[in-house]
Amino acid sequence: MHELGITRSIVEIAEGHAREQGATRVLSLTVQIGALSGVIPEAVEFAFEACSQGTLLEGARLIIDAVPGRGRCRACGAESAMDRFTYACPHCDALALDTVQGEELRILELEVD
Amino acid sequence: MCIDCGCGPTDHHHHHHEPGHAQDHGHDHGHSHDQGRRTLRIEEDILAKNNRLAGNNRARFGAKGLFVLNLVSSPGSGKTSILERTLRDLAGNIAFAVLEGDQQTDQDAARIAATGVPVHQINTGAGCHLDAHMVGHGVEHFDLDATDILMIENVGNLVCPAAFDLGEDHKVAVLSVTEGEDKPIKYPNMFHAADLLLINKIDLLPYLDFDLEKCKAYARQVKPDIQILEVSCKSGEGMEKWYAWLAQGANRKKT
């Protein structure tokens, strides 16, 4: 449900940058969403149409760059894929992994006109 | 006019025009915008605004030596009841202030007010979580110089509040034994974000199939170094350890 607020922020940030650069509309925007960010890409896509109405982003293509999660084991130091916070290190079975990738929530770029 | 966030007293729709920002075009747009199709690299964190305001809150709380906790849980876990008992039991020892977050009503604020502790209710309306902006304004209702611990009771929701830093020292997750031991792995983001887990309503354990050890193992699976305390705000069991944890945190912030 917080995806609505997140999507509003995406539109607000993107529109600010587009105006700053004198653009009249945004054709596409690329947003990075990590698998461990707690944000569901589909929900952002769903909210985007409503949130972008009446802004420079209306009609823009939303490209979501899904970033897979990665963790580093505190016990053996090995890195492994980790798309949820529940996991065991596949190398030594330890349960203590630190997140090294997957919490991203970032606007990467805009294509403007 | 709010210094931190730039919003006016009644206008909470944000249109930031900070000095030196977004006003590059001093002239009256006489130029044609014919730069054409182009790509702008932005690389901006979507939560940057919330994180900036949370940073401001944290700096302000730090300067006052305030220990700040963000209480998160599903609805009905007993956050408000834990607070009520804590505030009554520690009255005279620790000066508290409480921010209450709910979608609607000021029922919780009324319960806290009955303990004599300063309280302010934030109604989020359709919103599913508190954010740093709401908290920044919420604390304007308190004398922070006369406060040791600020308790922020978030909206009962095990999903959304996990993503929003409010400027707290710790998120404290409350899980009651009537909810089932698998909550930490069902809602891992929240338990991963918490530093302390209070397992509440342990007076009911004899009547339930709740597996306490399994619950703790699940919590440690999503947050290896999470601290866990078992409490019952009804019987008072385990509350002393929670009070010791609070006092320790408050002392650490004072020095």
Side-chain angles (χ1 to χ4, degrees):
Chain A
M1 199 169 146
H2 62 303
E3 279 82 357
L4 186 59
I6 299 272
T7 310
R8 277 201 200 112
S9 297
I10 291 174
V11 170
E12 193 180 317
I13 293 167
E15 194 173 38
H17 282 279
R19 281 195 198 286
E20 213 172 305
Q21 297 299 320
T24 52
R25 66 186 176 128
V26 176
L27 304 170
S28 73
L29 73 162
T30 309
V31 175
Q32 212 173 33
I33 299 180
L36 304 171
S37 68
V39 171
I40 315 291
E42 290 77 9
V44 173
E45 280 169 350
F46 184 76
F48 182 70
E49 201 180 314
C51 291
S52 61
Q53 268 181 30
T55 73
L56 295 185
L57 281 83
E58 191 169 330
R61 194 158 71 95
L62 174 65
I63 303 162
I64 292 181
D65 174 16
V67 184
R70 283 196 76 72
R72 184 182 295 114
C73 179
R74 285 190 195 178
C76 75
E79 272 197 26
S80 57
M82 156 182 153
D83 277 356
R84 311 184 304 157
F85 280 116
T86 47
Y87 40 74
C89 172
H91 304 280
C92 74
D93 289 333
L95 289 174
L97 272 77
D98 289 316
T99 313
V100 293
Q101 179 189 294
E103 291 182 317
E104 296 80 0
L105 213 48
R106 203 180 315 162
I107 302 182
L108 285 186
E109 60 181 37
L110 303 178
E111 196 190 354
V112 300
D113 206 354
Chain B
M1 182 74 169
C2 164
I3 298 162
D4 281 350
C5 66
C7 73
T10 51
D11 175 23
H12 275 200
H13 290 280
H14 281 217
H15 300 285
H16 284 271
H17 296 290
E18 289 155 14
H21 176 68
Q23 299 292 340
D24 307 353
H25 297 297
H27 58 320
D28 213 357
H29 284 81
H31 60 86
S32 60
H33 288 193
D34 57 354
Q35 292 158 282
R37 195 182 261 232
R38 59 207 186 275
T39 300
L40 312 176
R41 269 315 267 190
I42 296 201
E43 307 225 8
E44 184 165 331
D45 196 314
I46 294 162
L47 293 174
K49 188 163 113 188
N50 184 73
N51 292 342
R52 179 173 58 81
L53 294 174
N56 291 347
N57 289 348
R58 189 167 280 117
R60 197 156 138 209
F61 300 153
K64 305 269 183 203
L66 205 61
F67 188 48
V68 183
L69 301 176
N70 177 2
L71 271 68
V72 292
S73 80
S74 50
S77 66
K79 291 189 299 300
T80 313
S81 299
I82 288 176
L83 279 178
E84 284 178 300
R85 176 143 196 164
T86 303
L87 302 176
R88 288 207 166 93
D89 285 353
L90 299 183
N93 295 327
I94 294 176
F96 287 95
V98 179
L99 278 180
E100 278 291 339
D102 282 297
Q103 287 201 316
Q104 287 185 25
T105 81
D106 57 1
Q107 308 244 21
D108 284 359
R111 285 169 59 185
I112 299 300
T115 69
V117 166
V119 59
H120 177 70
Q121 177 81 47
I122 299 171
N123 283 134
T124 58
C128 47
H129 59 270
L130 292 177
D131 63 35
H133 183 231
M134 298 171 189
V135 168
H137 284 299
V139 297
E140 289 167 0
H141 298 265
F142 303 130
D143 176 5
L144 296 183
D145 289 316
T147 308
D148 301 315
I149 298 182
L150 171 67
M151 295 282 204
I152 306 168
E153 184 181 337
N154 219 313
V155 178
N157 174 344
L158 273 179
V159 183
C160 311
F164 293 84
D165 183 8
L166 306 179
E168 72 273 5
D169 290 295
H170 304 286
K171 283 190 177 72
V172 175
V174 180
L175 169 60
S176 60
V177 297
T178 52
E179 296 169 55
E181 63 272 328
D182 53 1
K183 283 287 177 296
I185 54 170
K186 281 184 168 172
Y187 300 94
N189 284 64
M190 184 62 86
F191 292 89
H192 180 76
D195 294 317
L196 175 68
L197 169 61
L198 293 180
I199 302 181
N200 190 27
K201 306 188 190 178
I202 55 163
D203 53 305
L204 294 177
L205 279 174
Y207 312 102
L208 302 166
D209 294 326
F210 187 88
D211 187 334
L212 192 58
E213 290 312 310
K214 204 175 212 174
C215 179
K216 292 194 222 172
Y218 283 148
R220 292 195 174 108
Q221 212 175 323
V222 298
K223 177 78 173 231
D225 43 16
I226 196 165
Q227 285 184 271
I228 302 174
L229 298 175
E230 301 154 31
V231 301
S232 165
C233 59
K234 195 169 175 105
S235 71
E237 198 181 340
M239 294 296 277
E240 291 303 324
K241 284 183 181 159
W242 158 239
Y243 298 157
W245 188 89
L246 285 176
Q248 203 180 19
N251 283 336
R252 210 170 45 236
K253 289 302 286 273
K254 289 278 172 220
T255 50

